[in-house]
Amino acid sequence: MSANSADPATEPAPTPHDRPGRPARPDGLGCGRPDGSRRSRRPGASPVRRSRGLLVAGLLSLAAASAAALVVRSDITDPPFQRLDDRWLGWMGGPHDGPYLAAATALNWFGGPVGALLPLTLLFLLLFRRRWASAGFLLAAYLGGNMLVIQGLKHLVDRPRPADPLVRVDHGSFPSGHAATAALLVVVAGALLVPAARRRAWWCGGAVFTLAMMWSRTWLHAHWLTDTVAGAVAGAGAGLLTWWLFQPALARESARSHDRRGAAAGADPGAAAVPGGG
């Protein structure tokens, strides 16, 4: 036997770095390893870790909205930033007609009963597809964000609205429920429907939509400017915190859905065809 021949007994065992990485299974949450691979989720494996960034962003947003609420509650008729609110309201003085009225009216309806159809339709779709974790996340975020956070702050502060609003409004100007719902739906839809690779563009578009909703509420004299800012921050914070709570369940559900699609593709005789062939 040649002296240069390899002896299996003396060869070093392969290290974990020598093993080829497995392709990442996209779960829409960006949980892959830096090299793009993913450890297989075997029974007994450690659960998916929640993102600390979601927790910090959610808590800071809710804390900022709560702090603003306490400031307004200390003097609901003349809070420290009332001069800013008065100046902004003066800029929104009109004339209230033309395309601006059409845009503000459409956003007003979207934030009201008509807008409730969107999350309700999405909920039925998720239940039909048996995505229980996603449906629970949607319910918890929408009901918790609106009933607990927004309505809780409204009853805590009970700030008077601007004079002569152009649409029907309820009690309590602070915070804006329309702005809160807009920001909340942007976060929920981004978590459930948008792939992680495309979320940057989604967040930019969602920010524009939320700003448009904030403008419409002040243009219609339904809210002060700071009401809309606090509403958007509170709605986004409620969505982010609920996302953090449901993140492991959503990741497991996404992985199971990916496995089912892979199994179905493997059972399909045409799945082995080369994409784009012919």
Side-chain angles (χ1 to χ4, degrees):
M1 181 180 294
S2 172
N4 295 329
S5 60
D7 185 0
T10 60
E11 285 210 347
T15 64
H17 301 287
D18 297 328
R19 298 171 185 169
R22 298 181 178 88
R25 283 167 34 178
D27 57 7
L29 296 173
C31 299
R33 291 188 289 179
D35 61 356
S37 62
R38 176 183 295 275
R39 293 183 178 90
S40 60
R41 300 286 297 157
R42 298 185 180 91
S46 59
V48 178
R49 292 183 178 180
R50 295 184 175 95
S51 170
R52 184 176 299 178
L54 290 177
L55 175 63
V56 172
L59 290 178
L60 287 179
S61 298
L62 292 177
S66 300
L70 294 176
V71 171
V72 176
R73 189 174 186 270
S74 64
D75 189 352
I76 59 174
T77 59
D78 190 20
F81 34 73
Q82 186 62 49
R83 292 182 61 184
L84 172 63
D85 284 338
D86 289 335
R87 180 175 300 180
W88 180 267
L89 192 65
W91 292 342
M92 299 290 104
H96 295 87
D97 54 18
Y100 296 108
L101 177 61
T105 303
L107 289 169
N108 176 65
W109 279 101
F110 183 86
V114 175
L117 294 176
L118 180 62
L120 188 61
T121 302
L122 179 58
L123 176 63
F124 283 138
L125 178 61
L126 294 173
L127 292 175
F128 177 76
R129 300 184 62 181
R130 298 183 180 181
R131 292 180 56 179
W132 313 121
S134 297
F137 166 58
L138 174 61
L139 275 176
Y142 193 76
L143 297 180
N146 281 284
M147 293 185 177
L148 296 181
V149 177
I150 304 305
Q151 292 301 320
L153 291 176
K154 276 183 176 291
H155 285 83
L156 173 67
V157 178
D158 201 18
R159 184 186 189 185
R161 291 182 184 267
D164 303 321
L166 302 180
V167 291
R168 178 179 293 182
V169 293
D170 58 7
H171 81 94
S173 184
F174 184 98
S176 168
H178 280 65
T181 301
L184 178 63
L185 289 179
V186 166
V187 173
V188 171
L192 294 179
L193 305 178
V194 183
R198 300 179 182 178
R199 283 197 184 127
R200 180 174 297 181
W202 174 261
W203 300 141
C204 293
V208 172
F209 168 70
T210 304
L211 289 171
M213 182 66 77
M214 295 165 61
W215 161 81
S216 73
R217 302 312 289 164
T218 57
W219 194 82
L220 293 170
H221 290 200
H223 285 283
W224 306 102
L225 174 63
T226 50
D227 300 337
T228 63
V229 174
V233 171
L240 292 171
L241 187 59
T242 311
W243 187 3
W244 176 80
L245 289 172
F246 278 80
Q247 192 173 21
L250 292 174
R252 290 192 297 268
E253 183 180 72
S254 178
R256 288 193 299 267
S257 177
H258 183 274
D259 289 342
R260 287 194 296 266
R261 288 195 300 268
D268 186 356
V274 178

